[in-house]
């Protein structure tokens, strides 16, 4: 399975489980306010800019969109910190961690994360673990409503929140029905453990018995929040059908303007390859959807213009 297909498959599985987008390479920072297009081959976001850049603010001013994104009320808001967040895709069963001979009792006692996962044979499964994650997000109320009109965001995807953490664990199963275990352990230096010196510090690192090629993990020894394994992605939407049913006089909400985005690929098989037969079905559904929109649009016009009847 090529790494490109693995990236897209992992992102798709996590999206189905959480409605959020995984970052296949968490050391590459994703910022709140980033916008761009999704690479349909890898599933990753190709960032083109950020709404909090000075150049974007200059463009907003030129477009007559009266909002100052440098105002504190518009700046990204930090949420609280969780102990750990563990996500897994459909069909993956999480169990209690059982003692392993290769992990000392001392390490297990101090492990801040420990878990086991059973995967289905013949099916890919995904696991994402974030240690002490913190969410950052665009404040609700006016930012998303106003920047929705910006030319730069036409047909673009916008990062509305991110989850940063000092440690992450990513795993994509190999379809063998394997069972894996993981733990984030702190190993105490030998002199300190023996009581000979109090100057040593514990070193935190991931332990796992997973042997698959699609395993990525890291932990910042200083506890810095330098990894972005997960983020929320919205797509600017012109919902003509929704407006026809609601009526033009009803104001659209931020969720109407920025719905959760669908992936720019067809359903994937277990190896991350698109189902080409589904594309034919999608084309038929898309054609009928357009016909319905046109029919409803014409009916709406007739209601306002009696001469068309």
């Amino acid at each position: 399975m090529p790494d490109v297909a693995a990236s897209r498959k992992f992102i798709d599985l996590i999206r189905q489980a959480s409605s959020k987008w995984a970052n296949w390479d968490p050391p590459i920072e994703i910022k709140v306010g980033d916008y761009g297009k999704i690479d349909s081959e890898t599933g990753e976001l190709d960032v083109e800019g950020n709404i909090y850049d000075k150049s974007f603010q200059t463009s907003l001013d030129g477009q007559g969109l009266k909002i100052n994104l440098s105002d504190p009320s518009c700046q990204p808001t930090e949420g609280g910190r969780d102990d750990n967040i563990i996500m897994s895709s459909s069909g993956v069963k999480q169990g209690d961690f059982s003692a392993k001979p290769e992990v000392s009792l001392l390490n297990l006692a101090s492990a801040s994360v420990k878990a086991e996962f059973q995967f289905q044979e013949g099916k890919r499964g995904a696991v994402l673990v974030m240690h002490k994650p913190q969410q950052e997000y665009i404040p609700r109320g006016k930012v998303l409503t106003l920047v929705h009109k910006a030319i730069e965001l036409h047909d673009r995807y916008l990062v509305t929140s991110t989850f940063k953490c000092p440690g992450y664990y990513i795993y994509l199963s190999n379809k063998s029905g394997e069972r894996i275990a993981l733990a984030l352990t702190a190993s105490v230096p030998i002199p300190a453990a023996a009581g000979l010196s109090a100057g040593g510090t514990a070193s935190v690192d991931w332990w796992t018995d997973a042997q698959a090629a699609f395993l990525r993990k890291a932990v910042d020894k200083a506890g810095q929040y330098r990894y972005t394994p997960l983020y929320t992605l919205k797509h600017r939407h012109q919902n003509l059908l929704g407006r026809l049913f609601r009526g033009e006089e009803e104001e659209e909400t931020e969720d109407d303007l920025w719905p959760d985005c669908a992936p720019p690929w067809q359903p994937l098989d277990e190896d991350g390859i698109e189902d080409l037969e589904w594309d034919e079905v999608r084309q038929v559904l898309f054609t009928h959807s357009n016909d319905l929109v046109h029919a409803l649009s014409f009916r709406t016009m007739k209601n306002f213009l009696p001469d068309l009847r």
Side-chain angles (χ1 to χ4, degrees):
M1 185 180 188
D3 192 68
V4 170
S7 169
R8 185 168 66 175
K9 183 63 176 178
F10 181 84
I11 291 170
D12 196 55
L13 288 172
I14 295 297
R15 182 194 60 81
Q16 293 176 35
S18 67
S19 297
K20 292 180 172 51
W21 289 72
N23 182 4
W24 183 242
D25 198 359
I28 296 180
E29 185 178 20
I30 300 291
K31 298 179 181 179
V32 172
D34 280 348
Y35 63 87
K37 290 187 174 182
I38 297 174
D39 186 323
S40 60
E41 297 297 320
T42 66
E44 297 175 308
L45 178 68
D46 289 333
V47 177
E48 299 176 356
N50 190 289
I51 66 171
Y52 293 105
D53 291 340
K54 290 184 178 179
S55 57
F56 190 85
Q57 180 65 61
T58 300
S59 178
L60 288 178
D61 296 340
Q63 296 174 55
L65 298 176
K66 299 186 181 302
I67 182 173
N68 179 12
L69 293 178
S70 64
D71 186 279
S73 66
C74 298
Q75 288 288 299
T77 301
E78 289 187 348
R81 295 182 180 181
D82 293 309
D83 286 336
N84 301 290
I85 291 180
I86 299 177
M87 292 183 176
S88 59
S89 60
S90 174
V92 179
K93 295 182 179 179
Q94 181 179 347
D96 294 332
F97 187 92
S98 55
K100 308 290 178 181
E102 58 268 46
V103 184
S104 71
L105 293 177
L106 176 63
N107 286 350
L108 283 179
S110 62
S112 53
V113 183
K114 49 187 175 183
E116 287 192 7
F117 299 92
Q118 177 66 57
F119 297 88
Q120 289 184 12
E121 186 174 357
K123 184 177 180 180
R124 299 281 181 187
V127 167
L128 168 61
V129 181
M130 295 181 288
H131 177 53
K132 293 187 179 300
Q134 182 174 37
Q135 186 179 18
E136 188 177 36
Y137 53 91
I138 295 175
R140 296 183 65 87
K142 62 178 179 179
V143 175
L144 292 176
T145 302
L146 290 176
V147 300
H148 175 266
K149 302 174 184 177
I151 296 173
E152 291 86 348
L153 298 182
H154 175 68
D155 198 29
R156 294 297 185 271
Y157 297 85
L158 176 67
V159 177
T160 59
S161 76
T162 61
F163 290 82
K164 295 183 181 297
C165 62
Y168 71 90
Y169 180 105
I170 283 175
Y171 182 81
L172 181 66
S173 71
N174 58 19
K175 301 191 297 183
S176 67
E178 70 270 37
R179 185 181 184 88
I180 67 165
L182 63 91
L184 184 60
T185 64
S187 58
V188 181
I190 294 177
L196 300 178
S197 170
T201 58
S203 176
V204 180
D205 207 350
W206 290 104
W207 171 89
T208 185
D209 59 2
Q211 301 296 322
F214 303 117
L215 167 65
R216 298 184 173 201
K217 56 187 176 66
V219 59
D220 185 87
K221 301 300 190 289
Q224 297 296 313
Y225 279 66
R226 52 185 298 237
Y227 306 117
T228 315
L230 194 70
Y231 56 97
T232 303
L233 203 58
K234 303 286 187 176
H235 189 214
R236 193 177 96 158
H237 193 48
Q238 299 291 350
N239 189 1
L240 175 60
L241 189 59
R243 290 201 304 270
L244 288 172
F245 280 113
R246 287 194 309 268
E248 292 290 348
E249 69 282 355
E250 185 175 335
E251 184 177 354
E252 291 181 297
T253 66
E254 289 182 354
D255 292 334
D256 294 328
L257 298 172
W258 294 98
D260 291 332
C261 55
W265 54 75
Q266 308 309 320
L268 306 177
D269 66 15
E270 297 305 324
D271 292 320
I273 306 301
E274 290 185 84
D275 183 351
L276 297 181
E277 292 183 1
W278 173 255
D279 188 48
E280 298 177 4
V281 176
R282 185 188 66 83
Q283 291 293 343
V284 172
L285 293 175
F286 182 75
T287 301
H288 288 316
S289 176
N290 279 343
D291 291 343
L292 177 60
V293 169
H294 292 154
L296 289 171
S297 297
F298 182 70
R299 184 176 300 175
T300 302
M301 290 177 63
K302 287 173 63 178
N303 291 334
F304 287 101
L305 300 175
D307 292 342
L308 292 177
R309 295 176 181 175

